[in-house]
Amino acid sequence: MASLSLAVAMALTGCASDAVLQQAASLERQGKGEQSLAQLHSAVLADPGNPQLRIAEQTLKERLVVQGLAEAARFEQIADAASATAAYERVLGLEPGNPQAHSGIGALQRRQHHQALLQQAHELGKKGRREDAMALLREVLAEDPGNEQARDLAESIEVESRQQATSAKLAPALNASVSLAFKEATLTQVFEILSQTSGLNFVFDKDLKTSQKTTIFVKDTTVKQALDVLLITNQLEQRVIGDNVILIYPNTPAKLKDYQALRVRTFFLANADVESVANTLKTILKTRDLTVDKQRSMIVMRDTPDAIRMAERLVSLHDLPEPEAMLEVEILEVNRDLLTTLGVKPPGQLSLSPLPSTSGGTLTLQDLLHPTSQGIGVTVSPLTINATETNSNIKTLANPRIRVKNRETAKILIGDRVPNITTTSTSTGFVADSVQYLDVGLKLEIVPVITVDGEVSIKIGLEVSNIANQVTTSSGTVAYQISTRTASTVLRLKNNENQILAGLINDADRKTASGLPGLARIPIVGHLFGSTDSENSRSEIVLSITPHIVRNVTRQSMAMLDFDSGTESDLREASLSTDGANVSTNPQLASTGSIGTSSVAPPSAATPISSTSNSSPATSSISSTPTTSGAAGEAGQYINTTSGASASPLAWQGLATAKAGDTFVVQLAAAPAQAVTSLGYQVDFDPTKLAVVEITEGDFLKQGGTATKFSTSVDPVQGQVVVSDGRTATADLGTSAAGTAATLTLRALVGASSTQLRIEKLAIVGPNGTAVTASAPAPFTITVTP
């Protein structure tokens, strides 16, 4: 009775724990993970001896901790420190001693403090208080030596400190308008006119022949452009040596060595081979002063500022993460053996042998010559009736998943290492044994080559072996006979495409018959006089492989792949220009203002945004052009929502109406009042009325040919889209030109209602990591018609 009561109690406890587990799983599926954990914790307290509940609680807690850490990382990517801190605190509520959450909160606090110091340093730098700004930056770098924003800002302040006085006085003079018309005039005459027009002072090298004749005809151009044309056509160079003094000298190797300013640039490579990149720089830029530190993956070069800038672009193209793929392999070996033995095996042998003498003595010759029936022994083989059938099926399955880098070899061995002993003897009698191990089983070698188009070329080598026989030599040494099947091929698959390789078949059919001669061959009746053994064996190897690309090289834009590299003797980019912009890339003659000033690139013509240039090259505006497709009531009007968000740098543009079930596009336009380097935001939508089909990056942050990193995360249940977009160039000054931040492709789900797109948690970052204060645009209202 006691045993029965115990069994009933255990059954009731098991049913109760199953109900708790099911209810907890249901809450987790609904997104209520903390409630599910609380319910499991209560159940564990009520039944502490239940291992299922304890394991379920611990597993759910670990899963929630991982999700919380991932959520905090996502908020950190979009520079939302408050949400990231809240996520870390939720993790600490689940696991108070979690080291990642503690370090994450500490890092966020330090980052916020450093960000405030960087903002103060930036403001002080703009006000000309560079010493105070550098003191703040030194404090940041003392606590965080790897802070790139602090290093870049410090470098900018140092460069500006050296060049501000010169740039401030040179810029107006170089941008002054001038028209020149000289035919066979001396250089002295032409430079005298330029000096009178611009107010610049020109000093000539002692070896320069100022009586050299030149011809120049330019109209309504800037002094800078006219000066560049004059220098290039007469093989001259320039160097700024004072507030408004420019030295002119011959463009010869000796003079360039004496006058040309050089810079030292250090590159730390994270992915590319340092020697390969160094050879590229030597070949393309003809750089001679270049050293390589393989231990630190570092390149140090000394060259002109133009060569340094080109080297930065080349290094950024080379130093990309190596592609990786996860290879999902399934290998199946099917062995089938069928053995059938049927029939009567009659005696196959009759043996006669003389018996010992009846008198008990030994066998004599007389006994052999006069045999008797009592003196002959008879031995007859037994009669055997066979009727057996043996059928065996063997399946050997291997399903490894292995991650491998591009062009590296992945090896898989599933089997045994069989010792093979070799004996060596000498004439002196010395005997030595050596052991060599043979790999027997399943061996697979895979070499993937991942292309930029998202395909994987795979070189496969497959070998399946087993011990077929064991051979023992006369000396007692054991050797093995190995049966093997191999296959080698090269195939090209798309990402997540499956391919099956089959047909490695070994088929053997053996039939053995024994019985009385003649009688055993009689049909049907012959089985009474003989026996037949039939053996059929068949084995097949099947290989299934599916590549999953984990990381691939992003195809760079044409602006990054194709850029001007000057001439063979002059690496300056676009030394001649017709748009009145900055002509020379010489930093000493570049027109620079305060820290954070950026140039403007026009937006893409495909976007409904236009940039209007006024007297200031950084002036831009957003214009909205209403367009309709068909009747206004059917397709809706293409509108720009800016009401209520006049201070916002962002604005929605798209169709105000859409039919249920149709796909339509909405764009987020950007026209900031100051330079921007990165942009992060969250778009909220009603998941019962809208579905996100695709999110693509616009041309806003890509302007100027700068590489960007664009990432999105869509939660179709909560109705949230998290977007992070940023320029990846070091010491980037950002862009303030109008453009498209992102394009959202949506699908209307429910008719006869209106819904909105709303931006939450907007984070905008300017040059040197400075935070840009801005408000979110007004919600975008969409009317969904049946």
Side-chain angles (χ1 to χ4, degrees), residues 421-451:
I421 303 174
T422 303
T423 302
T424 304
S425 60
T426 62
S427 58
T428 59
F430 176 77
V431 178
D433 293 337
S434 61
V435 180
Q436 294 181 343
Y437 288 92
L438 304 177
D439 294 330
V440 177
L442 171 66
K443 290 192 294 184
L444 181 66
E445 290 191 4
I446 306 176
V447 181
V449 178
I450 306 171
T451 66

Side-chain angles (χ1 to χ4, degrees), residues 138-343:
R138 283 192 290 271
E139 179 181 349
V140 174
L141 291 174
E143 297 179 1
D144 184 11
N147 193 308
E148 295 185 0
Q149 296 178 357
R151 290 202 308 267
D152 295 340
L153 183 57
E155 182 180 355
S156 301
I157 291 177
E158 291 177 357
V159 172
E160 189 172 351
S161 298
R162 294 193 300 265
Q163 300 178 355
Q164 184 191 23
T166 301
S167 300
K169 295 185 178 180
L170 284 178
L174 292 173
N175 291 330
S177 179
V178 67
S179 296
L180 301 177
F182 288 97
K183 183 176 181 180
E184 295 297 326
T186 63
L187 290 177
T188 304
Q189 295 173 328
V190 179
F191 277 106
E192 183 178 357
I193 297 298
L194 286 176
S195 177
Q196 294 176 359
T197 303
S198 62
L200 295 172
N201 297 317
F202 295 100
V203 179
F204 301 99
D205 181 82
K206 64 182 182 64
D207 295 330
L208 177 63
K209 297 180 180 179
T210 57
S211 59
Q212 179 180 337
K213 302 293 184 179
T214 184
T215 299
I216 180 172
F217 295 95
V218 292
K219 184 178 180 181
D220 296 332
T221 187
T222 63
V223 172
K224 185 178 188 323
Q225 286 180 316
L227 181 60
D228 285 340
V229 172
L230 190 62
L231 295 177
I232 291 175
T233 55
N234 291 277
Q235 288 77 50
L236 302 176
E237 273 294 345
Q238 60 187 352
R239 180 179 180 182
V240 178
I241 59 174
D243 291 348
N244 64 341
V245 179
I246 299 178
L247 171 65
I248 307 298
Y249 59 92
N251 186 359
T252 61
K255 296 299 179 182
L256 290 174
K257 186 176 180 180
D258 293 335
Y259 292 124
Q260 193 173 47
L262 301 178
R263 292 175 58 194
V264 175
R265 178 70 160 89
T266 302
F267 299 98
F268 287 93
L269 305 184
N271 303 285
D273 179 67
V274 64
E275 291 186 341
S276 175
V277 176
N279 292 333
T280 300
L281 297 180
K282 291 178 182 179
T283 303
I284 302 298
L285 303 179
K286 306 297 188 292
T287 299
R288 295 186 301 274
D289 299 335
L290 186 146
T291 62
V292 175
D293 188 340
K294 293 182 62 177
Q295 185 175 358
R296 296 179 176 85
S297 294
M298 182 178 69
I299 298 176
V300 181
M301 65 177 295
R302 181 173 183 262
D303 213 319
T304 63
D306 300 285
I308 294 294
R309 273 186 288 274
M310 292 182 192
E312 290 175 347
R313 302 185 74 167
L314 292 174
V315 170
S316 65
L317 290 174
H318 280 76
D319 194 25
L320 297 175
E322 190 73 18
E324 289 186 68
M326 177 72 75
L327 301 177
E328 184 176 356
V329 183
E330 185 175 7
I331 303 150
L332 182 67
E333 181 180 6
V334 181
N335 296 328
R336 182 177 181 274
D337 293 328
L338 178 61
L339 176 62
T340 303
T341 303
L342 181 63

Side-chain angles (χ1 to χ4, degrees), residues 352-404:
L352 301 177
S353 59
L355 299 176
S357 174
T358 56
S359 60
T362 59
L363 186 67
T364 62
L365 181 60
Q366 180 67 25
D367 295 332
L368 293 177
L369 294 178
H370 301 89
T372 62
S373 59
Q374 292 83 9
I376 302 298
V378 179
T379 303
V380 181
S381 299
L383 175 68
T384 306
I385 301 176
N386 297 317
T388 60
E389 180 176 312
T390 304
N391 192 352
S392 61
N393 291 296
I394 303 174
K395 294 183 179 180
T396 304
L397 178 65
N399 186 17
R401 294 168 60 90
I402 185 168
R403 181 168 174 171
V404 59

